[in-house]
Amino acid sequence: MKVLFYMTHPDAAEWLHDFARALPEAELREWQPGDTAPADFAVVWRPPREMLAGRDDLRAILNLGAGVDAILGLEHAHPGTLPRNAQLIRLEDSGMALQMAEYVTHTVLRYLRRFDEYQTLQGERRWHVLEPHPRDTFTVGVLGLGVLGSHVAKALASFGLPVRGYSRGARQIDGITTFAGDTQFDAFLDGVKVLVNLLPHTPDTSDVLNTRTFSKLARGAYLINVARGGHLVEQDLLDALASGQLTAATLDVFREEPLPADHLFWREPRITITPHVSALTLRSESVEQVACKIKALMRGDTVGGVVNLERGY
Ligand code: NAP
Ligand code: GLV
């Protein structure tokens, strides 16, 4: 079996080395521009269009991340890019769910316990006790109840916080109040104190974090965006902070990454910025998962994480 590999990552050589060990029977090669030689599988992160276009020999494209928006974006911009018969398969968890739960729980607790405000007070050398937020109305709403969102929602519920979750189809998760579909969106948002976004970025979810959405939350709510920058209407966030509808936001993802040095978000003290690190693709877990899936496909078995191209996730 022939496996093509592409990622622009400082550790790409180590990844290739680990894949070679996990798939000793494979002819593995790093894709270079102009390489159109036959291949059965492509293992990729943010591949260029030229790597995939016209490759009708591919059986599957295995994405080294949970989100497939970059690959589907190629198809959207240049229809026919994706090989006709290849399945698109994404990473499922592979160590990301725990990292995401750490990041989001840390951030929610920071706001619940007002550590953001104590940090400001410390800067002013002020010893001042703030009234605690009541836990029973500190409702957290998690947009997206997939592999990552459901894990995050359960982690938050373990702190005794009221947690709601929102998905496309109806879901039942112990300890979480669930909502599904467009008709229940406003009921999900109503009175939420912390909105966490873990939706995939698709045409249906683009710009979902906007003025209308913010207006349905509790006054002075918080936003945590750990999914994609394209979910957020940036000016609407700045307006919501200015009006007091939102108190603060923590953002891990941006429309343009790296976030440009002159972007207004850097100058807004109520916005906390991290450089797309809430859940990193871990090498050993990811190599193992992808290698297992390739072996299963070679045996003719079905695998998890196959993307529904119509839905875009
Ligand atoms: P997933 O398992 O595919 O879950 C997606 C969830 O979103 C599902 O619950 C799905 O509903 C829901 N959904 C999708 N479209 C919807 C719509 N139009 N309306 C309502 N609900 C909708 O994805 P995942 O593995 O949890 O990952 C989620 C996203 O996190 C990725 O796509 C990626 O963009 C982002 N991510 C970010 C980082 C980072 O470091 N910042 C790392 C990893 C992933 P159903 O359950 O009904 O299908
Ligand atoms: C990272 O953002 C991913 O989608 O895995």
Side-chain angles (χ1 to χ4, degrees), residues 117-183:
E117 294 167 81
Y118 283 119
Q119 196 175 343
T120 307
L121 289 170
Q122 182 178 340
E124 298 163 2
R125 301 184 185 196
R126 287 175 61 204
W127 181 278
H128 176 62
V129 177
L130 299 164
E131 188 69 25
H133 284 296
R135 185 177 297 260
D136 58 340
T137 54
F138 209 80
T139 305
V140 186
V142 181
L143 284 166
L145 285 177
V147 174
L148 303 182
S150 58
H151 192 82
V152 165
K154 285 185 248 181
L156 291 164
S158 75
F159 285 90
L161 293 163
V163 180
R164 296 182 193 165
Y166 177 74
S167 54
R168 178 197 287 263
R171 293 205 157 221
Q172 271 198 321
I173 304 177
D174 277 353
I176 316 294
T177 310
T178 54
F179 299 78
D182 293 346
T183 54

Side-chain angles (χ1 to χ4, degrees), residues 112 120 186 197 282 287:
L112 173 72
T120 307
D186 287 1
N197 179 35
L282 302 178
V287 167

Side-chain angles (χ1 to χ4, degrees), residues 45 64-67 96 228 276 279 281:
W45 179 243
L64 289 173
M96 285 190 267
R228 286 292 184 263
H276 202 141
T281 296

Side-chain angles (χ1 to χ4, degrees), residues 66-67 90 96 100 144-149 166-169 171 198-200 204-205 226-228 252-253 276 278-279 313:
R90 52 85 172 219
M96 285 190 267
M100 205 51 107
L145 285 177
V147 174
L148 303 182
Y166 177 74
S167 54
R168 178 197 287 263
R171 293 205 157 221
L198 269 166
L199 289 168
D204 288 341
T205 65
V226 279
R228 286 292 184 263
D252 184 50
V253 287
H276 202 141
S278 50
Y313 70 96

